[in-house]
Amino acid sequence: ELKVEQNPLFLSMQEGKNYTIYCNYSTTSDRLYWYRQDPGKSLESLFVLLSNGAVKQEGRLMASLDTKARLSTLHITAAVHDLSATYFCAVLNTGNQFYFGTGTSLTVIP
Amino acid sequence: EAQVTQNPRYLITVTGKKLTVTCSQNMNHEYMSWYRQDPGLGLRQIYYSMNVEVTDKGDVPEGYKVSRKEKRNFPLILESPSPNQTSLYFCASPSAGEDTYNEQFFGPGTRLTVL
């Protein structure tokens, strides 16, 4: 069974600061996804990373994938309050089954 | 507008009373799946379907059934619900890329309480 671990689980950061969320997974995969969930809402897709070394950026968020290390990172630059949400990474295995991490709850403090 | 719809959004029921949660997508996607979300556990895939009449077990299929008779619909059936199935359920459908799947669209969620 594929395991996906995110850390930290909870993150409180000040506006304007930078931080990184880590997503480790246990078996070989080159298909990694990041999602955002606002409180009481559904999930929305942020990034799709489909190869080793893939890097995607949208606004203050940048995601990268290192398939050899089985690691993806979500980097937050100069955080703003609007980024407060829970972020999930997910991995697609060779059987086309999605495995999600437990999520990182981010709170950006003014 | 591309969307995944689920019904009902909220449901309170009692142990053993059969229920169905419907899911429909308007994007002509082949892949559809059901997840449950529980605090501290993230999302766990219950069942998925890669095409009509093809369904596969996910991580936590016990106590659930699904069917895929049409491309757009993928209902989740709880034949005899139990309190441990109290959870937030999401239906989702990713777009297909070259040899993989891309952006995944999620429904609004169904909050189920089993008493």
Side-chain angles (χ1 to χ4, degrees), chain B residues 17-77:
Chain B
K17 187 176 181 182
K18 181 180 178 179
L19 65 93
T20 299
V21 184
T22 63
C23 172
S24 183
Q25 51 98 359
N26 65 358
M27 298 165 283
N28 203 36
H29 290 172
E30 292 182 342
Y31 192 118
M32 297 183 73
S33 64
W34 277 102
Y35 299 90
R36 60 178 288 172
Q37 183 177 18
D38 301 289
L41 297 176
L43 277 79
R44 293 177 292 169
Q45 197 169 35
I46 302 170
Y47 270 95
Y48 62 106
S49 168
M50 295 177 65
N51 215 327
V52 175
E53 302 293 355
V54 177
T55 62
D56 287 288
K57 294 179 180 179
D59 237 12
V60 287
E62 295 77 22
Y64 304 95
K65 283 175 58 176
V66 292
S67 68
R68 188 88 182 275
K69 292 184 170 54
E70 307 165 278
K71 201 172 192 178
R72 63 181 293 122
N73 296 324
F74 191 44
L76 179 70
I77 303 156

Coordinates of all heavy atoms in Angstrom, one line a residue, chain B residues 17-77:
Chain B
K17 N -30.3 1.5 7.5 CA -31.3 2.0 6.5 C -30.5 2.3 5.2 O -29.8 3.3 5.2 CB -32.0 3.2 7.0 CG -33.1 3.7 6.1 CD -33.9 4.8 6.7 CE -35.0 5.3 5.8 NZ -35.8 6.4 6.4
K18 N -30.8 1.6 4.2 CA -30.1 1.7 2.9 C -30.2 3.1 2.4 O -31.2 3.7 2.4 CB -30.6 0.7 1.9 CG -29.9 0.8 0.6 CD -30.6 -0.3 -0.4 CE -29.9 -0.2 -1.8 NZ -30.5 -1.2 -2.7
L19 N -29.1 3.6 1.8 CA -29.1 4.9 1.2 C -28.2 5.0 0.0 O -27.3 4.1 -0.1 CB -28.6 6.0 2.3 CG -27.2 5.9 2.8 CD1 -26.3 6.8 1.9 CD2 -27.1 6.4 4.2
T20 N -28.5 5.9 -0.8 CA -27.7 6.1 -2.0 C -27.3 7.6 -2.1 O -28.1 8.5 -2.0 CB -28.5 5.8 -3.3 OG1 -28.8 4.4 -3.2 CG2 -27.6 6.0 -4.6
V21 N -26.0 7.9 -2.4 CA -25.6 9.2 -2.7 C -25.3 9.3 -4.2 O -24.5 8.5 -4.7 CB -24.3 9.6 -1.9 CG1 -23.9 11.0 -2.1 CG2 -24.5 9.3 -0.4
T22 N -25.9 10.2 -4.9 CA -25.7 10.3 -6.3 C -24.5 11.2 -6.7 O -24.2 12.1 -5.9 CB -26.9 10.8 -7.0 OG1 -27.2 12.1 -6.6 CG2 -28.1 9.9 -6.7
C23 N -23.9 10.9 -7.8 CA -22.8 11.7 -8.3 C -22.9 11.8 -9.8 O -23.1 10.8 -10.5 CB -21.5 11.2 -7.9 SG -20.1 12.0 -8.7
S24 N -22.8 13.0 -10.4 CA -22.9 13.2 -11.8 C -21.8 14.2 -12.3 O -21.6 15.2 -11.6 CB -24.3 13.7 -12.2 OG -24.4 13.8 -13.5
Q25 N -21.2 13.9 -13.4 CA -20.3 14.9 -14.0 C -20.7 15.2 -15.4 O -21.2 14.3 -16.2 CB -18.8 14.3 -13.9 CG -18.6 12.9 -14.4 CD -18.1 12.8 -15.8 OE1 -17.8 13.9 -16.5 NE2 -17.8 11.6 -16.3
N26 N -20.4 16.4 -15.9 CA -20.8 16.9 -17.2 C -19.6 17.1 -18.1 O -19.7 17.8 -19.1 CB -21.6 18.2 -17.1 CG -20.8 19.3 -16.6 OD1 -19.6 19.2 -16.2 ND2 -21.4 20.5 -16.5
M27 N -18.5 16.4 -17.8 CA -17.3 16.7 -18.6 C -16.9 15.5 -19.5 O -15.8 15.5 -20.1 CB -16.1 16.9 -17.6 CG -16.3 18.1 -16.7 SD -15.3 18.2 -15.3 CE -16.0 17.1 -14.2
N28 N -17.7 14.5 -19.5 CA -17.5 13.3 -20.4 C -16.2 12.6 -20.0 O -15.5 11.9 -20.8 CB -17.4 13.7 -21.9 CG -17.7 12.5 -22.8 OD1 -18.5 11.6 -22.4 ND2 -17.0 12.4 -23.9
H29 N -15.8 12.7 -18.7 CA -14.6 12.0 -18.2 C -14.9 10.5 -18.0 O -16.0 10.1 -17.7 CB -14.2 12.5 -16.8 CG -13.6 13.9 -16.9 ND1 -13.3 14.7 -15.8 CD2 -13.3 14.7 -18.0 CE1 -12.9 15.8 -16.1 NE2 -12.8 15.9 -17.4
E30 N -13.9 9.7 -18.3 CA -14.0 8.3 -18.1 C -13.8 7.9 -16.6 O -14.4 7.0 -16.1 CB -13.0 7.5 -18.9 CG -13.4 7.7 -20.4 CD -12.4 6.9 -21.3 OE1 -11.3 6.5 -20.9 OE2 -12.8 6.7 -22.5
Y31 N -12.9 8.6 -15.9 CA -12.6 8.2 -14.5 C -13.4 9.0 -13.5 O -13.6 10.2 -13.6 CB -11.1 8.5 -14.3 CG -10.4 8.0 -13.0 CD1 -9.4 7.1 -13.1 CD2 -10.9 8.4 -11.8 CE1 -8.7 6.7 -12.0 CE2 -10.2 7.9 -10.6 CZ -9.2 7.1 -10.7 OH -8.5 6.6 -9.6
M32 N -14.0 8.2 -12.6 CA -14.8 8.8 -11.5 C -14.4 8.0 -10.2 O -14.1 6.8 -10.3 CB -16.3 8.8 -11.7 CG -16.7 9.6 -12.9 SD -18.5 9.6 -13.2 CE -19.0 10.7 -11.8
S33 N -14.5 8.7 -9.1 CA -14.2 8.0 -7.8 C -14.9 8.6 -6.7 O -15.4 9.8 -6.7 CB -12.7 8.0 -7.6 OG -12.2 9.3 -7.4
W34 N -14.9 7.9 -5.6 CA -15.5 8.3 -4.3 C -14.4 8.3 -3.3 O -13.6 7.3 -3.2 CB -16.6 7.4 -3.9 CG -17.9 7.7 -4.5 CD1 -18.5 7.1 -5.6 CD2 -18.8 8.8 -4.2 NE1 -19.7 7.7 -5.9 CE2 -19.9 8.7 -5.0 CE3 -18.8 9.8 -3.2 CZ2 -21.0 9.6 -4.9 CZ3 -19.9 10.6 -3.1 CH2 -20.9 10.6 -3.9
Y35 N -14.5 9.3 -2.4 CA -13.6 9.4 -1.3 C -14.4 9.7 0.0 O -15.4 10.3 -0.1 CB -12.6 10.6 -1.5 CG -11.7 10.5 -2.7 CD1 -12.1 11.0 -3.9 CD2 -10.4 9.9 -2.6 CE1 -11.3 11.0 -5.0 CE2 -9.6 9.8 -3.7 CZ -10.0 10.4 -4.9 OH -9.2 10.3 -6.0
R36 N -13.8 9.3 1.1 CA -14.3 9.8 2.4 C -13.2 10.6 3.1 O -12.0 10.3 2.9 CB -14.8 8.7 3.3 CG -13.8 7.6 3.7 CD -14.5 6.6 4.6 NE -14.7 7.1 5.9 CZ -15.4 6.5 6.9 NH1 -15.9 5.3 6.7 NH2 -15.6 7.0 8.1
Q37 N -13.6 11.7 3.7 CA -12.6 12.5 4.4 C -12.9 12.5 5.9 O -14.1 12.8 6.3 CB -12.7 13.9 3.9 CG -11.7 14.8 4.6 CD -11.7 16.3 4.1 OE1 -12.6 16.7 3.4 NE2 -10.6 17.0 4.3
D38 N -12.0 12.1 6.7 CA -12.1 12.0 8.1 C -11.0 12.8 8.8 O -9.8 12.8 8.3 CB -12.1 10.6 8.6 CG -13.2 9.7 8.0 OD1 -14.3 10.0 8.4 OD2 -12.9 8.9 7.1
P39 N -11.2 13.5 9.9 CA -10.2 14.3 10.5 C -8.9 13.5 10.8 O -9.0 12.4 11.4 CB -10.8 14.8 11.8 CG -12.3 14.7 11.5 CD -12.5 13.6 10.6
G40 N -7.8 14.0 10.5 CA -6.5 13.4 10.7 C -6.1 12.2 9.8 O -5.0 11.7 9.8
L41 N -7.1 11.9 8.9 CA -6.8 10.8 7.9 C -6.8 11.3 6.5 O -6.5 10.4 5.6 CB -7.9 9.7 8.1 CG -7.9 9.0 9.4 CD1 -9.1 8.0 9.5 CD2 -6.6 8.3 9.7
G42 N -7.0 12.5 6.2 CA -7.0 13.0 4.8 C -8.2 12.4 4.1 O -9.2 12.1 4.6
L43 N -8.0 12.2 2.8 CA -9.0 11.6 1.9 C -8.6 10.2 1.6 O -7.4 9.9 1.3 CB -9.2 12.4 0.6 CG -10.1 13.6 0.6 CD1 -9.3 14.8 1.2 CD2 -10.6 13.9 -0.8
R44 N -9.5 9.3 1.7 CA -9.2 7.9 1.3 C -10.2 7.5 0.2 O -11.4 7.7 0.3 CB -9.4 7.0 2.6 CG -8.3 7.3 3.6 CD -8.5 6.4 4.8 NE -9.7 6.8 5.6 CZ -10.3 6.1 6.5 NH1 -9.7 4.9 6.9 NH2 -11.3 6.5 7.1
Q45 N -9.6 6.8 -0.8 CA -10.4 6.4 -1.9 C -11.3 5.2 -1.6 O -10.7 4.2 -1.1 CB -9.5 6.2 -3.1 CG -10.3 6.2 -4.4 CD -9.3 6.2 -5.6 OE1 -8.2 5.6 -5.6 NE2 -9.7 6.8 -6.7
I46 N -12.5 5.2 -1.9 CA -13.4 4.1 -1.5 C -13.5 3.2 -2.7 O -13.3 2.0 -2.6 CB -14.8 4.6 -1.2 CG1 -14.8 5.6 0.0 CG2 -15.8 3.5 -0.8 CD1 -16.1 6.4 0.3
Y47 N -14.0 3.7 -3.8 CA -14.1 3.0 -5.1 C -13.7 4.0 -6.2 O -13.9 5.2 -6.1 CB -15.5 2.5 -5.4 CG -15.8 1.1 -4.8 CD1 -16.4 0.9 -3.6 CD2 -15.5 0.0 -5.6 CE1 -16.7 -0.3 -3.1 CE2 -15.8 -1.3 -5.1 CZ -16.4 -1.5 -3.9 OH -16.7 -2.7 -3.4
Y48 N -13.3 3.4 -7.3 CA -13.1 4.2 -8.5 C -13.5 3.4 -9.8 O -13.6 2.2 -9.7 CB -11.6 4.7 -8.6 CG -10.6 3.6 -8.8 CD1 -9.9 3.4 -10.0 CD2 -10.1 2.9 -7.7 CE1 -8.9 2.4 -10.1 CE2 -9.1 2.0 -7.8 CZ -8.5 1.7 -9.0 OH -7.5 0.8 -9.1
S49 N -13.7 4.2 -10.8 CA -14.2 3.6 -12.0 C -13.5 4.2 -13.2 O -13.5 5.5 -13.3 CB -15.7 3.8 -12.2 OG -16.1 3.4 -13.5
M50 N -12.8 3.4 -14.0 CA -12.1 4.0 -15.1 C -12.9 4.0 -16.4 O -12.4 4.5 -17.5 CB -10.8 3.3 -15.3 CG -9.9 3.5 -14.1 SD -8.3 2.6 -14.2 CE -7.6 3.3 -15.6
N51 N -14.1 3.4 -16.4 CA -15.0 3.5 -17.5 C -16.3 2.8 -17.2 O -16.5 2.2 -16.1 CB -14.4 2.8 -18.7 CG -14.7 3.5 -20.1 OD1 -15.8 4.0 -20.2 ND2 -13.8 3.4 -21.0
V52 N -17.3 2.9 -18.1 CA -18.6 2.3 -17.8 C -18.4 0.8 -17.6 O -17.7 0.2 -18.3 CB -19.5 2.6 -19.1 CG1 -20.8 1.9 -18.9 CG2 -19.7 4.1 -19.2
E53 N -19.2 0.4 -16.6 CA -19.2 -1.1 -16.2 C -17.9 -1.6 -15.7 O -17.7 -2.8 -15.5 CB -19.6 -1.9 -17.4 CG -21.0 -1.6 -18.0 CD -22.1 -1.9 -17.1 OE1 -21.9 -2.5 -16.0 OE2 -23.3 -1.6 -17.5
V54 N -16.9 -0.7 -15.4 CA -15.6 -1.0 -14.8 C -15.5 -0.3 -13.4 O -15.5 0.9 -13.4 CB -14.5 -0.7 -15.7 CG1 -13.1 -1.0 -15.0 CG2 -14.6 -1.3 -17.0
T55 N -15.5 -1.1 -12.4 CA -15.2 -0.5 -11.0 C -14.2 -1.2 -10.3 O -14.0 -2.4 -10.5 CB -16.5 -0.5 -10.2 OG1 -17.0 -1.8 -10.0 CG2 -17.6 0.3 -10.9
D56 N -13.4 -0.5 -9.5 CA -12.3 -1.1 -8.7 C -12.4 -0.6 -7.3 O -12.8 0.5 -7.0 CB -11.0 -0.8 -9.3 CG -10.7 -1.5 -10.6 OD1 -10.5 -2.8 -10.5 OD2 -10.8 -0.9 -11.6
K57 N -12.0 -1.5 -6.3 CA -11.9 -1.1 -4.9 C -10.7 -0.2 -4.7 O -9.7 -0.4 -5.2 CB -11.7 -2.4 -4.1 CG -12.9 -3.3 -4.1 CD -12.6 -4.5 -3.2 CE -13.9 -5.5 -3.3 NZ -13.6 -6.7 -2.4
G58 N -11.0 0.8 -3.9 CA -10.0 1.7 -3.4 C -9.4 1.2 -2.1 O -9.4 0.0 -1.8
D59 N -9.0 2.1 -1.2 CA -8.4 1.8 0.0 C -9.4 1.3 1.1 O -9.0 0.4 1.9 CB -7.7 3.0 0.6 CG -6.3 2.8 0.8 OD1 -5.7 1.7 0.4 OD2 -5.7 3.6 1.5
V60 N -10.6 1.8 1.1 CA -11.6 1.5 2.1 C -13.0 1.1 1.5 O -13.9 1.8 1.8 CB -11.7 2.7 3.1 CG1 -10.5 2.8 4.0 CG2 -11.9 4.0 2.3
P61 N -13.1 0.0 0.8 CA -14.3 -0.3 0.2 C -15.4 -1.0 1.0 O -16.6 -1.1 0.6 CB -13.9 -1.2 -1.0 CG -12.7 -2.0 -0.4 CD -12.0 -0.9 0.5
E62 N -15.0 -1.5 2.2 CA -15.9 -2.3 3.0 C -17.1 -1.5 3.4 O -17.0 -0.4 3.9 CB -15.2 -2.8 4.3 CG -14.1 -3.8 4.0 CD -12.8 -3.1 3.5 OE1 -12.6 -1.9 3.8 OE2 -12.0 -3.8 2.9
G63 N -18.3 -2.1 3.1 CA -19.6 -1.4 3.5 C -20.1 -0.6 2.4 O -21.2 0.0 2.7
Y64 N -19.5 -0.5 1.3 CA -19.9 0.4 0.2 C -20.1 -0.4 -1.1 O -19.4 -1.4 -1.3 CB -18.9 1.5 -0.1 CG -18.6 2.4 1.1 CD1 -17.5 2.1 1.9 CD2 -19.4 3.5 1.5 CE1 -17.2 2.9 3.0 CE2 -19.1 4.2 2.6 CZ -18.0 3.9 3.3 OH -17.7 4.7 4.4
K65 N -21.0 0.1 -1.9 CA -21.1 -0.5 -3.3 C -21.2 0.7 -4.2 O -21.6 1.8 -3.9 CB -22.4 -1.3 -3.4 CG -22.3 -2.7 -2.8 CD -23.7 -3.4 -2.9 CE -24.2 -3.5 -4.3 NZ -25.5 -4.3 -4.3
V66 N -20.8 0.4 -5.5 CA -21.0 1.4 -6.5 C -21.4 0.8 -7.8 O -21.4 -0.5 -7.9 CB -19.6 2.1 -6.8 CG1 -19.2 3.0 -5.7 CG2 -18.5 1.1 -7.2
S67 N -21.9 1.6 -8.7 CA -22.2 1.1 -10.1 C -21.9 2.1 -11.1 O -21.9 3.3 -10.8 CB -23.7 0.7 -10.2 OG -24.5 1.8 -10.1
R68 N -21.6 1.7 -12.3 CA -21.3 2.7 -13.3 C -22.0 2.2 -14.6 O -21.4 1.6 -15.5 CB -19.8 2.8 -13.6 CG -19.3 3.9 -14.5 CD -19.1 5.2 -13.8 NE -18.8 6.3 -14.7 CZ -17.5 6.6 -15.1 NH1 -16.5 5.8 -14.8 NH2 -17.3 7.6 -15.9
K69 N -23.2 2.5 -14.7 CA -24.0 2.1 -15.9 C -24.0 3.2 -17.0 O -24.2 2.8 -18.2 CB -25.5 1.9 -15.4 CG -25.6 0.7 -14.5 CD -27.1 0.4 -14.2 CE -27.3 -0.9 -13.5 NZ -26.4 -1.1 -12.3
E70 N -23.7 4.4 -16.6 CA -23.6 5.5 -17.6 C -22.3 6.2 -17.3 O -21.9 6.3 -16.2 CB -24.7 6.5 -17.5 CG -26.1 5.9 -17.5 CD -27.1 6.9 -17.1 OE1 -27.3 7.0 -15.9 OE2 -27.7 7.6 -17.9
K71 N -21.7 6.8 -18.3 CA -20.5 7.5 -18.1 C -20.6 8.7 -17.1 O -19.7 8.9 -16.4 CB -20.0 8.1 -19.5 CG -18.5 8.4 -19.6 CD -18.2 8.7 -21.0 CE -16.7 8.7 -21.2 NZ -16.3 9.0 -22.6
R72 N -21.7 9.4 -17.1 CA -21.8 10.6 -16.3 C -22.2 10.3 -14.8 O -21.9 11.2 -14.0 CB -22.8 11.5 -16.9 CG -24.2 11.0 -17.0 CD -25.2 12.0 -17.6 NE -25.3 13.2 -16.8 CZ -25.0 14.4 -17.2 NH1 -24.6 14.6 -18.4 NH2 -25.2 15.5 -16.4
N73 N -22.7 9.2 -14.5 CA -23.2 8.9 -13.1 C -22.4 7.8 -12.4 O -22.0 6.8 -13.0 CB -24.6 8.5 -13.2 CG -25.5 9.6 -13.7 OD1 -25.3 10.8 -13.4 ND2 -26.5 9.3 -14.5
F74 N -22.2 8.0 -11.1 CA -21.4 7.1 -10.3 C -22.0 7.1 -8.9 O -21.4 7.7 -8.0 CB -19.9 7.4 -10.4 CG -19.0 6.4 -9.8 CD1 -19.1 5.1 -10.1 CD2 -18.0 6.8 -9.0 CE1 -18.3 4.1 -9.6 CE2 -17.1 5.8 -8.5 CZ -17.2 4.5 -8.8
P75 N -23.1 6.4 -8.7 CA -23.7 6.5 -7.3 C -23.0 5.6 -6.3 O -22.4 4.6 -6.7 CB -25.1 5.9 -7.6 CG -25.0 5.1 -8.8 CD -23.9 5.7 -9.6
L76 N -23.0 6.1 -5.1 CA -22.4 5.4 -3.9 C -23.6 4.8 -3.1 O -24.4 5.6 -2.7 CB -21.5 6.3 -3.1 CG -20.9 5.7 -1.9 CD1 -19.8 4.7 -2.3 CD2 -20.3 6.8 -1.0
I77 N -23.5 3.5 -2.8 CA -24.6 2.9 -2.1 C -24.1 2.3 -0.8 O -23.1 1.6 -0.8 CB -25.2 1.7 -3.0 CG1 -25.7 2.3 -4.3 CG2 -26.3 1.0 -2.2 CD1 -25.7 1.2 -5.4

